[in-house]
Amino acid sequence: MTYSKFQRHIAEQIGSYDTFKEHWLDWRWHIQHSVRDVATFEKVTGIKLEDEFKKNVSRTIEKFPLGITPYYLSLIDVDDYYNDPVFKQAFPVPEELIVEPHEMADPLAEDQDSPVPGITHRYPDRVLFHVSNVCAMYCRHCTRKRKVGDVDSIPGKEEIERGLAYIAEHPEVRDVLLSGGDPLMLPDAYLDWILTALRNIPHVQIVRLGTRMPVVLPYRITDELVAMLRRHHPLWINTHFNHPRELTASARQALARLADAGIPLGNQTVLLSGVNDCQRIIRSLVHKLVENRVRPYYLYQCDLSEGLTHFRTPVGKGIEIMESLIGHTSGFAVPTYVIDAPGGGGKIPLNPNYLISLSTNKVVLRNFEGVITTYQEPNSYEPIFCNRQCRDCRLQLKLEDAEESKATGIELLLSDYDPTISLTPENNSRMERRGEDG
Ligand SMILES: *Cc1c(COP(=O)(O)O)cnc(C)c1O
């Protein structure tokens, strides 16, 4: 393990130089010495901020707290801090107080889709389970800023038990996503208790954990933690790297520990103006991720949360980035670009268009190079008109293995066995007129 001069300097400023090595690797030390005010930030980094800026920033901090681990702070390039992707993700700016009319405290309606506190049940077969509302580092672009440092939303043991009971009572839930806050802020034993309880629910097939610890505090990924986690397989972990600079030697070591324990790793990146809205940066990021056995999972369009305007890019930037990835690099290095629908519609994937035209037996496509090509479809395809009588169907679905679900939405419109021919939005004035007439 090597340490940068800057890391040594930070620890010295915080006041534990004597036992630098011992403390620097202790994740609890980083949490206890998290930088939470501007004066400490200036002292520790040696950065001198302008008075006017500091005055405005202090108002931001009253609303959205500041919290940076000494480790993450040590990644800042102090000579060019204002353009630094780490600084921009960690340090508050006055723009966070600007709330535009279309912005919302809870744009994804997570609280509305919450049957019991702590659970968001949006999709048919999986739930989000908020088990912590604190993080090692407060990301300035957090979509759940409304909850950060909000004492009322710290989930207690009783609330967790209610969440577990909800999951146990809903056999359709086969996938539980532990989120927060950061679930790895919980002590190992507490997390072990939650995972054990989930594992005791027979219909929960997989558990996922979303954490930014490998990025902001990789020393949290201790041998003891990993030994505990691997007892709860199948367990998947998604992390949140936004810039290639974040993949330090310490971060890579944390990822290797998790991967060596057989935990499949994914990454969710948020597209952020001034941080990573560049094809070359995202390409470098996804390549570094796969090199470290992390599969790029989602590239998020920045949510409409309050105070994030300065971070948002046009959707075209995301499409342009996807255009530069698809075909140009390994398929598994390409994340899915999504917009999480405001109002709670869930994630909507977006891609460049590849389908140019089609006839009854031919499709015209273009590839990543701009080559236009055709795909000849079969001239005789015998469709199976499905009436959901699987017992009589020649496709041999073993009914005891069938995960039965009723088709909904567009899948329902496409089906042969349901008479629904259209979906009509609420408040459709034509339907209202019909109602009036009869
Ligand atoms: C993102 C999300 C999930 C998981 O979605 P996947 O596409 O399966 O990763 C589940 N519930 C909620 C509320 C989510 O926002």
Side-chain angles (χ1 to χ4, degrees), residues 423-433:
L423 301 176
T424 310
E426 271 177 47
N427 311 323
N428 177 291
S429 55
R430 193 164 50 83
M431 290 301 150
E432 276 166 21
R433 279 197 299 277

Side-chain angles (χ1 to χ4, degrees), residues 108 110 120-123 126-128 144 175 177 208 238 268 297-298 300 340 347:
L108 311 178
E110 291 184 323
T120 302
H121 194 169
R122 166 161 308 147
Y123 294 103
R126 55 207 189 277
V127 295
L128 202 60
R144 297 199 188 113
D175 175 4
L177 214 162
R208 295 192 253 177
N238 262 340
Q268 316 199 146
Y297 183 53
Y298 283 138
Y300 282 98
D340 216 336
K347 296 172 187 79

